[in-house]
Amino acid sequence: MLNVALFGPPGAGKGTQSDFLVEKFNLGYISTGDLLRKELKADSKLGREAKDIISAGGLVSDEIIVQILEKTIAENPYASGFLFDGFPRTRIQAYILEGLMLKLNTTLDCLINLEVPEEESVRRLLLRGKTSGRSDDNETVIRNRLKEYHDKTLPVLEFYRARGQCVDVDGTQSIEAVRDDVAKIVQDQYSKRPVSIVMFGFPGSGRGSQAMALAEEFGLEFIATGRMLEEEMAAGTDTGLKIRELYENGQLVPDEIVIPLIEKKLENSRGVRGFIFKGFPRTLVQSYILDGLLKKHECSLSKILEIDVPTLQLIERLDRRSHTDSRMPYDSSTEKIVRRLREHELKTVPVIEKYEQMHGVQKIDGTGTFEEVFERCAAEVRTLFQVGGRRG
Ligand code: AMP
């Protein structure tokens, strides 16, 4: 998720810049002013409560703001981030935003402050008043809105400045120049967050070698639980022996063994561009664990890929591998191969179905040469590093 707040006095150009940002970065848009005007128009209970205050240019109560926010967030459960316009407008609302972000398992990335002097705000709002049809775009109300801004909203800026989350933009420039400045700030925020990709596919689909090549190509940390377990086996530890026994029976290794290994890997990979997971999550329980692990690393799922290969081809590939030196202990007999395929079908396919519903899963045609499949996967991963491409 990427969350940005646009800050500035009335008439600073927040609405104008929002249209562009929402489109370019694929964000959910939350303008408390627009939401209130909608309530007003619908003559709802909230609208009636807020009406007089809005017409006078005052700030409506924080209680009303919480209610309209809750409603809007609930209507956008899978947004890939939010752009806030006209919120937070009070110190209390800054705390409300904190709570809201926490609830969504995310944080505010930055607050962009559009700086415009008071007389310029008044000039713009009077001009807008000629066409906007907004009853609060007249001089008396405008002056009051600006007074409210100075008294109650400006202190919010200090709150974010103190936390290093505030970026200033000269809002008196042309719309295009402001747009370029703002886009650059948001783009920089995008680049800072690590991406995380999960690679699915039946055993034999090539998911491991493709994930490893993708990690190399895009500078990602390759997190392959199978490989970590092998390292344990090679080290000959007690855990390693236990793992070998489970492997030879074609069974899954319990989470008590797998999770601490992943945790350690993530811990040692702070500051990387992102992660690519292969062989994890394998069960629904592990999918919940992954959410928690990623959250701890200020990261969420960016993309889920599934390499799709027809069953007969899978069996042929696994059988071929079982006759080579690169075979794994679990490849050594038909019975074990079938058991692994069945484990995937029973335990991992439900995870893919869950992700399909929650985030969407990109199916990759896994037939053809390694390079052809790689190019299909890479095209998907590349979108994460382009503007507006990130999910999750
Ligand atoms: P805007 O469209 O952002 O200029 O907002 C228009 C009016 O709606 C403001 O003058 C306030 O009366 C009210 N309003 C909008 N957002 C908020 C907010 N976050 N807190 C309190 N009042 C708000």
Side-chain angles (χ1 to χ4, degrees):
M1 273 200 157
L2 182 94
N3 304 292
V4 178
L6 265 187
F7 190 89
K14 300 188 292 290
T16 309
Q17 298 299 337
S18 292
D19 292 344
F20 159 76
L21 287 175
V22 162
E23 165 93 1
K24 183 164 173 129
F25 294 95
N26 189 24
L27 302 169
Y29 180 48
I30 298 192
S31 155
T32 42
D34 281 358
L35 293 168
L36 286 167
R37 279 185 287 278
K38 236 185 248 167
E39 297 288 337
L40 237 67
K41 208 166 158 203
D43 197 27
S44 67
K45 186 168 167 284
L46 281 180
R48 284 195 296 276
E49 275 173 44
K51 190 172 179 190
D52 290 345
I53 301 168
I54 295 177
S55 333
L59 291 187
V60 306
S61 74
D62 294 328
E63 278 86 331
I64 292 183
I65 297 297
V66 176
Q67 290 177 57
I68 59 167
L69 286 169
E70 285 274 357
K71 233 165 89 175
T72 316
I73 302 260
E75 283 163 8
N76 289 282
Y78 304 130
S80 61
F82 287 103
L83 174 71
F84 295 95
D85 163 0
F87 172 84
R89 252 180 162 103
T90 62
R91 285 293 285 261
I92 300 290
Q93 289 182 12
Y95 288 104
I96 294 173
L97 180 57
E98 288 277 291
L100 214 59
M101 294 285 94
L102 215 62
K103 198 168 154 185
L104 293 171
N105 246 347
T106 183
T107 51
L108 183 77
D109 290 86
C110 72
L111 180 123
I112 301 175
N113 174 33
L114 300 180
E115 291 181 302
V116 173
E118 178 159 340
E119 282 319 306
E120 176 64 9
S121 289
V122 176
R123 193 188 68 77
R124 289 184 185 181
L125 290 172
L126 285 174
L127 197 70
R128 185 174 81 183
K130 291 185 183 159
T131 52
S132 70
R134 276 176 58 167
S135 60
D136 58 352
D137 279 349
N138 68 69
E139 182 144 12
T140 321
V141 180
I142 290 169
R143 294 278 173 202
N144 201 26
R145 285 163 68 196
L146 283 166
K147 185 173 178 314
E148 288 282 79
Y149 175 75
H150 281 284
D151 294 349
K152 299 180 183 158
T153 309
L154 261 181
V156 172
L157 208 52
E158 297 321 311
F159 177 92
Y160 288 100
R161 217 182 275 295
R163 299 162 147 226
Q165 282 179 299
C166 172
V167 192
D168 299 315
V169 169
D170 175 2
T172 62
Q173 307 173 87
S174 68
I175 292 178
E176 293 73 25
V178 174
R179 190 180 67 194
D180 290 348
D181 283 359
V182 166
K184 186 172 177 318
I185 294 165
V186 179
Q187 180 61 56
D188 285 351
Q189 294 298 329
Y190 251 111
S191 318
K192 268 197 217 158
R193 287 219 159 178
V195 300
S196 65
I197 302 164
V198 174
M199 177 67 100
F200 284 116
F202 269 87
S205 61
R207 55 188 181 172
S209 39
Q210 291 293 349
M212 203 173 355
L214 289 168
E216 171 94 355
E217 171 82 9
F218 293 96
L220 306 171
E221 191 69 36
F222 179 49
I223 302 192
T225 43
R227 184 195 264 197
M228 293 183 208
L229 297 170
E230 277 153 35
E231 282 165 8
E232 280 295 313
M233 287 192 285
T237 59
D238 283 352
T239 312
L241 292 175
K242 217 183 288 165
I243 296 168
R244 183 172 299 281
E245 202 182 310
L246 294 161
Y247 258 37
E248 288 180 354
N249 287 321
Q251 285 172 332
L252 292 177
V253 178
D255 291 342
E256 287 73 13
I257 295 179
V258 181
I259 310 303
L261 295 176
I262 298 181
E263 178 99 72
K264 198 166 80 193
K265 183 95 174 171
L266 289 174
E267 221 26 78
N268 292 336
S269 319
R270 294 221 176 240
V272 298
R273 199 177 183 209
F275 307 101
I276 184 159
F277 292 88
K278 178 252 153 177
F280 186 87
R282 265 183 151 95
T283 62
L284 280 171
V285 170
Q286 289 184 353
S287 73
Y288 286 100
I289 294 170
L290 180 62
D291 287 342
L293 289 174
L294 290 178
K295 163 83 179 75
K296 209 167 145 188
H297 288 76
E298 288 171 12
C299 179
S300 52
L301 280 178
S302 320
K303 198 165 270 292
I304 299 146
L305 302 178
E306 184 188 15
I307 303 189
D308 196 24
V309 174
T311 315
L312 273 180
Q313 262 193 48
L314 287 176
I315 295 171
E316 274 165 21
R317 287 187 191 183
L318 289 169
D319 181 56
R320 217 176 305 133
R321 191 164 82 187
S322 72
H323 299 297
T324 67
D325 287 344
S326 58
R327 72 171 172 272
M328 300 292 170
Y330 45 71
D331 286 333
S332 60
S333 76
T334 311
E335 195 197 337
K336 286 176 191 169
I337 292 174
V338 170
R339 203 179 300 158
R340 279 183 81 214
L341 292 172
R342 193 174 294 136
E343 280 277 332
H344 184 90
E345 179 78 44
L346 286 176
K347 304 211 168 120
T348 311
V349 168
V351 182
I352 302 173
E353 284 167 1
K354 172 190 149 187
Y355 281 142
E356 175 60 40
Q357 281 175 10
M358 288 181 65
H359 307 277
V361 174
Q362 251 70 49
K363 268 201 190 264
I364 307 284
D365 172 7
T367 60
T369 64
F370 179 86
E371 287 73 23
E372 283 165 349
V373 181
F374 177 76
E375 198 29 60
R376 289 175 206 136
C377 297
E380 284 296 335
V381 175
R382 222 169 273 129
T383 63
L384 292 177
F385 300 104
Q386 289 159 359
V387 168
R390 181 175 312 217
R391 291 184 70 108

